[in-house]
Amino acid sequence: MITVLAGGVGAARYLTGLVRVVPPGEVTAIVNTADDVTLHGLRVCPDLDTVAYTLAGLVNPEAGWGLAGESWTVMGALERFAGVAPPGSQAATTWFRLGDRDLATHLYRAGRLAEGADLATVTAEIARALGVGVRLLPMTGDPVETRVGVAGEGEVGFQDYFVRRRHAVPVTGVRFAGVESARPAAGVLEAVAGAGVVVIAPSNPIVSIGPILGVPGVRDALRARRRSVVAVSPIVAGAALKGPADRMLAELGHEPSVVGVARLYAEVAGTLVVDTADAGRAGEVEAAGVACVVAPTVMHGPDEAAALARATLAAVRR
Ligand code: FO1
């Protein structure tokens, strides 16, 4: 069994490579839910859906999220209420784009949650419906919400920072509201303790992997088997391949480099895989107490993702 701690796009790409190397049924993905947002009475789970859609081969390949071949009729029709929604109301929100087919996923999830099903159960149903063989586990079924301090504006929700502001504003702080009292979803701690290898996928260390590590019990379970936990750096030559990870690291006082990532993960991961562009920094990664493996980590397509998955597994089985 291989367990992968996963955020959104980078993790989803990595997983498409991993399932070419090992049978999907041997993979469990523990997915971040702190990006989740309740909108239009629906519980939207961006990272769970991005992983599910990507593994199902249904994701919009340009965006990395949402469904390919999507239509936007409902969003267009919702615009007509923008003029009457009172200040502060989210009911006519269209800056967070929910496609017509994507909405079906949110309708199903909201309906099942309203019937009393827990998020892990509903996630398994959605994965089964989409033909996803990897076991998808939310990190928790309890409400955890990433709150981002934005310079000069106070604290905003994650999607407000990431989408509405296009993460083009410096962050002054990040916290995961509710994480202290969140219970790991059923199977999460067992998936960490029982796996042959645990992989921390190339996701944003602060807002994608950070919340998962914050769920009580997860950090300890990883630390207990640190030697067979391997992380893949999402930072290559000081930059993030997608999203604000590099800027967030710097804005929050970490070095935006493989060394900064190594220091963040040193307590829970014994090995860090860095891109060939960062081969020269391997010594500093090792000085941070983390074994360093150099391999191509930029995944343009499934072949490179599979090669990275192989290198990651080899790094631990050394
Ligand atoms: N990202 C955007 O940049 N713009 C959007 O309108 C948007 C809508 C959206 C809807 C559903 C979903 O599952 C993801 C969506 N995302 C959108 C991506 C999302 O903000 C990110 O995937 C994660 O939250 C960060 O990993």
Side-chain angles (χ1 to χ4, degrees):
M1 178 57 72
I2 294 166
T3 294
V4 180
L5 305 192
V9 180
R13 288 221 176 109
Y14 177 83
L15 284 162
T16 59
L18 183 60
V19 296
R20 287 159 63 106
V21 175
V22 299
E26 286 182 21
V27 179
T28 294
I30 297 173
V31 184
N32 170 43
T33 57
D35 288 3
D36 293 7
V37 60
T38 298
L39 213 47
H40 316 301
L42 306 172
R43 170 90 170 267
V44 178
C45 303
D47 284 351
L48 279 168
D49 292 348
T50 292
V51 170
Y53 290 165
T54 303
L55 286 172
L58 298 172
V59 79
N60 172 333
E62 287 77 44
W65 56 268
L67 289 166
E70 185 60 279
S71 56
W72 305 92
T73 307
V74 174
M75 282 292 109
L78 196 52
E79 295 282 355
R80 68 176 57 152
F81 299 105
V84 301
S89 165
Q90 300 296 315
T93 296
T94 53
W95 54 264
F96 191 77
R97 316 287 300 151
L98 294 170
D100 299 328
R101 291 167 187 78
D102 187 32
L103 275 167
T105 304
H106 310 309
L107 290 173
Y108 181 74
R109 178 159 42 220
R112 292 284 294 121
L113 293 173
E115 292 168 351
D118 64 54
L119 185 58
T121 302
V122 185
T123 300
E125 291 165 5
I126 292 169
R128 197 156 64 245
L130 298 180
V132 173
V134 168
R135 181 170 62 140
L136 301 187
L137 280 180
M139 68 187 199
T140 178
D142 296 324
V144 176
E145 184 190 348
T146 297
R147 304 286 296 163
V148 180
V150 170
E153 296 192 57
E155 211 178 49
V156 299
F158 178 77
Q159 299 301 345
D160 211 312
Y161 160 74
F162 189 85
V163 176
R164 195 176 202 173
R165 292 168 168 70
R166 303 197 184 296
H167 50 76
V169 288
V171 303
T172 56
V174 171
R175 71 185 177 93
F176 312 126
V179 78
E180 298 79 8
S181 53
R183 291 157 297 171
V188 162
L189 295 183
E190 295 77 358
V192 171
V197 181
V198 175
V199 178
I200 300 179
S203 296
N204 185 315
I206 306 289
V207 291
S208 297
I209 302 300
I212 303 173
L213 299 182
V215 174
V218 171
R219 191 174 275 276
D220 290 344
L222 287 167
R223 202 170 28 208
R225 42 117 12 103
R226 178 182 177 279
R227 285 176 55 79
S228 52
V229 178
V230 50
V232 180
S233 174
I235 302 290
V236 174
L241 297 173
K242 184 177 173 68
D246 48 1
R247 289 207 329 272
M248 288 185 108
L249 283 169
E251 288 156 5
L252 296 174
H254 307 286
E255 187 182 316
S257 71
V258 292
V259 181
V261 173
R263 289 187 188 126
L264 273 174
Y265 288 156
E267 186 196 357
V268 294
T271 304
L272 179 68
V273 179
V274 305
D275 189 74
T276 46
D278 289 305
R281 307 211 65 180
E284 293 169 83
V285 168
E286 304 254 342
V290 181
C292 187
V293 167
V294 179
T297 65
V298 181
M299 301 172 280
H300 294 108
D303 290 344
E304 282 137 326
L308 176 56
R310 269 192 207 91
T312 315
L313 299 182
V316 173
R317 287 180 182 144
R318 249 183 348 189

